[in-house]
Structure formats: C-alpha cells, structure tokens
Amino acid sequence: MAAVAAAISNSFTTLPHRYFTSTNRFRSLSLSISTSISLSTIQSNSPRPIISLKNPNFRLLASAAMNVEAPDKIPASSFLDRRESGILHFVKYQGLGNDFILVDNRDSTEPRVTPEQAVKLCDRNFGIGADGVIFAMPGTNGTDYSMRIFNSDGSEPEMCGNGVRCFARFIAELENLQGKQSFTIHTGAGLIVPEIQEDGKVKVDMGEPILKASDVPTRLPANKDDAVVKSELNVDGETWNVTCVSMGNPHCVTFGTKENKDLLVDNLNLAEIGPKFEHHAVFPARTNTEFVQVYSHSHLKMCVWERGAGATLACGTGACATVVAAVLEGRAGRNCRVDLPGGPLEIEWREENNHVYMTGPAEVVFYGSVSL
C-alpha cells in the first residue's frame, strides 16, 4: 500500500474533489475547516479510502469550506470506468449486514488486489472495512460471469451466499439492467444462478446440497447413508450434536449439545466456541458453523461463525445448510424463514429437483476509491 504522508497542512482546496453520497437522509449540512490535519499517527501501510457513497442525498466536496449540495446520481458504470494508476475504485454492498467490497474485474481473470491487500482493505480500523472482497470477472465455460472472493483473513472460499446476492445487484448496476433479471455465475462451488426480483430482492438457485461426508469434507464417520446427521462431536470437552452439509463450502450445523438439546443462540459465547469448531481436526478444510434455535416447523434462528471471517451478521450458504440440516433431523419443513443477526432470509429446499433456493436483500452502502 502507498505510504501516507507524515502530515497535511495545506488547505483542502488542493485535494481533488470526491463524491460522498450516503444512504442516511441528511437535509442540510455545512462544515468549515480552517485547521491543518496531521496524519502522522496513521499506519503507513494502511489503505487510504476516498469515500463516495451511493443513494446520494448529498454531495461533499473537499475544500476549505465544505458545503452540502443536491447531487446528481453517480452511475456505478461511469464511476468504476475511471482508470487511475494506483487507485482502486469499488462499491461496497451489504446483504443483511454481511458486507463486501465489490470490484469490477471483468477485463481480467486475475484479481486486481492480492489476498494480502484484501486483508488491509477489509480492516475495520485502518481500511475500508468488510467481510470480504468480491471480484466480478469474465465468464468461464459458457457462464455470463465468474465470481471470486477473498475473505477478511486473505483466504479464498469457494462461494458466499450473501456475496452472490451482492454480486448480482452489482452486475445489474454495471450493465444497467432493469427489472427482473437472471444470469449465470461460475464460482468455486460450481454454477450459481441468481435472479433479481421485481422488489429488488435476489433469489438464488444455490444448487444441490452435498451430504457425503468425504465431500463436505469431514472426518466424522457417516451415520445416515453417506451423510453425517445428528452425530456427536466433542468440542473442548463438551459433546455437541452436529449435521454436516456442503453448499459448495463446508458447514457444521448444530441445534445444541447432547446435554442441552434445545439451543438458545443468544446465550452463546460465539467468539469463544466458534474458532474451536472452525479449526477442529475433523474438518480438514476448516468449517463454517451454524448454531440454530428452532422457533417452529417453518421458522429458525441462527448465528454463524464463518470460516476465514469469524462472527458475521449473516451467511447465505449457512442459512441454506441450516434448513437442509433441520429437514434431515426432522426439526423443520422444506420452506423456512431463517432469522440471522442482520435480518431474515427465505430458504426453500425443493424436493422435486433437490435444489436449495435462497431469497434476500442486497444493497449498496457506498462508492469509494482507495490508494493501493
């Protein structure tokens, strides 16, 4: 990352104008700046975001006197078409609070940032802040697009359910697609087909769940055909009942311990127990872990510890795996509302084709540029 100058003492009028448009509805704002700003305490290896938010209700121009103005809408395509050496233009999206930095990478099959840079960009104190960086890339094997993602720890997962909804909305804005739209995406988990609904939500055909233990993968022995269903797993001296499912990425779903079969997710110390599941020896590729509470046959509540990202507000593939596990354990039907910390998802596991469908929102947070 480019080093930040030790201090800035010149007037802000020397800085290039940047757009700043927020989803917050400010009616009026006026700022006056007359003092110099020292940046000597900022880490020299940290990215410097130049923020530019979407859904503009105001525009902030960097100058000695900053005045709010009624802005023009900033099309994502024109914003991201800018080409400046050493500058990465991006759009930040969130799906139920699971947030991502989206990068237009359609001109190359190589990501525009490295995993190490992604870690710095995702840092919530010294970077932009996100659960991962997602790249929109050229299609592969006849698909319309390809999607890759680097987690906040620099690892690369096969796929991300909330991320693919954000990806779909990102593509629609880049291509100026209106109304109901569908396209095909190549991912590390295979073919994914999102469909943007008339209400703006995104419905995604997540494909078939993988239940064969060796393909999840898990070293737990299969106990129901080739699958691991309601099997006992010792984690730090406590026995949990778990079901293992892959939605192209591995998931361990639990509804409680052997002693306390009905889990209350709000009582969990997720930061303590989550990593112990993720790095357990029975998961050779590590695992995402869903802790689930059953409200009814069609209503579940879960919290998640994501592999490579830790506790997040939502996990789309995790919600899908949760419903599959609930059906296999006889706890729920095939159509469920799944409440996550960031909000609800609608999940359907269709019996006729064995595919899992996920429906939920994806929204722009802001546009931005950052020096690499």
Side-chain angles (χ1 to χ4, degrees):
M1 299 286 182
V4 177
I8 295 177
S9 57
N10 294 332
S11 165
F12 275 109
T13 53
T14 61
L15 296 176
H17 285 184
R18 297 289 178 185
Y19 292 105
F20 183 97
T21 57
S22 172
T23 56
N24 296 325
R25 292 189 168 95
F26 292 94
R27 295 186 182 277
S28 63
L29 176 65
S30 179
L31 301 174
S32 295
I33 298 177
S34 59
T35 58
S36 64
I37 295 180
S38 172
L39 299 181
S40 58
T41 58
I42 296 179
Q43 292 184 353
S44 62
N45 63 344
S46 300
R48 294 179 295 158
I50 305 164
I51 294 181
S52 168
L53 300 180
K54 193 202 179 233
N55 193 10
N57 295 304
F58 63 84
R59 179 170 58 188
L60 181 61
L61 301 179
S63 63
M66 298 188 189
N67 297 306
V68 174
E69 304 174 8
D72 298 321
K73 180 166 178 146
I74 310 167
S77 55
S78 62
F79 175 80
L80 295 167
D81 278 345
R82 301 174 186 175
R83 291 291 180 264
E84 301 171 62
S85 179
I87 299 293
L88 176 73
H89 299 299
F90 65 89
V91 183
K92 182 170 174 177
Y93 279 77
Q94 60 87 12
L96 299 180
N98 199 190
D99 55 346
F100 305 94
I101 299 163
L102 274 292
V103 177
D104 183 6
N105 214 118
R106 292 173 298 166
D107 59 353
S108 174
T109 58
E110 289 298 318
R112 294 188 62 192
V113 303
T114 66
E116 293 76 19
Q117 288 173 321
V119 171
K120 294 176 181 178
L121 292 171
C122 290
D123 190 292
R124 297 191 183 277
N125 294 304
F126 297 105
I128 299 162
D131 292 320
V133 181
I134 295 176
F135 306 92
M137 308 180 93
T140 302
N141 299 326
T143 61
D144 296 318
Y145 306 96
S146 294
M147 168 180 155
R148 288 182 65 181
I149 176 171
F150 293 151
N151 283 326
S152 57
D153 70 349
S155 61
E156 182 172 1
E158 298 85 351
M159 215 274 292
C160 173
N162 285 314
V164 79
R165 295 200 317 276
C166 294
F167 183 100
R169 291 292 301 270
F170 182 55
I171 290 296
E173 192 157 15
L174 286 175
E175 303 284 8
N176 197 27
L177 303 175
Q178 305 296 324
K180 196 169 183 177
Q181 300 288 339
S182 180
F183 34 82
T184 56
I185 303 173
H186 172 79
T187 74
L191 176 67
I192 299 294
V193 185
E195 181 180 82
I196 301 174
Q197 308 292 293
E198 293 291 350
D199 62 2
K201 290 184 178 180
V202 183
K203 183 176 184 177
V204 185
D205 179 351
M206 302 288 287
E208 298 185 55
I210 298 167
L211 301 177
K212 187 177 179 181
S214 59
D215 293 339
V216 170
T218 178
R219 296 189 178 102
L220 284 168
N223 61 352
K224 185 175 181 180
D225 298 325
D226 291 328
V228 173
V229 179
K230 208 173 181 180
S231 181
E232 293 185 359
L233 175 64
N234 185 285
V235 180
D236 200 27
E238 191 165 25
T239 302
W240 295 75
N241 294 321
V242 302
T243 294
C244 297
V245 179
S246 172
M247 293 302 307
N249 54 353
H251 292 270
C252 173
V253 183
T254 180
F255 296 86
T257 63
K258 184 178 180 181
E259 293 75 19
N260 184 14
K261 295 183 180 179
D262 296 323
L263 188 63
L264 298 176
V265 298
D266 289 340
N267 294 342
L268 278 174
N269 186 339
L270 190 58
E272 179 182 349
I273 191 65
K276 295 175 182 178
F277 274 85
E278 178 184 358
H279 298 282
H280 200 289
V282 299
F283 302 114
R286 297 189 291 163
T287 190
N288 303 281
T289 308
E290 288 73 39
F291 301 89
V292 190
Q293 182 176 340
V294 179
Y295 283 150
S296 73
H297 204 59
S298 60
H299 190 186
L300 308 173
K301 179 179 181 178
M302 62 165 266
C303 63
V304 59
W305 183 266
E306 289 199 51
R307 177 187 61 166
T312 62
L313 294 177
C315 177
T317 55
C320 294
T322 289
V323 172
V324 171
V327 172
L328 293 175
E329 292 194 20
R331 298 176 182 271
R334 288 176 173 266
N335 284 274
C336 288
R337 167 179 165 151
V338 181
D339 290 347
L340 301 101
L345 287 172
E346 297 295 329
I347 307 296
E348 177 188 6
W349 185 17
R350 289 187 190 170
E351 193 166 7
E352 59 265 29
N353 64 3
N354 200 38
H355 283 221
V356 180
Y357 296 83
M358 168 190 64
T359 303
E363 298 175 348
V364 171
V365 181
F366 60 80
Y367 297 152
S369 301
V370 65
S371 175
L372 293 176

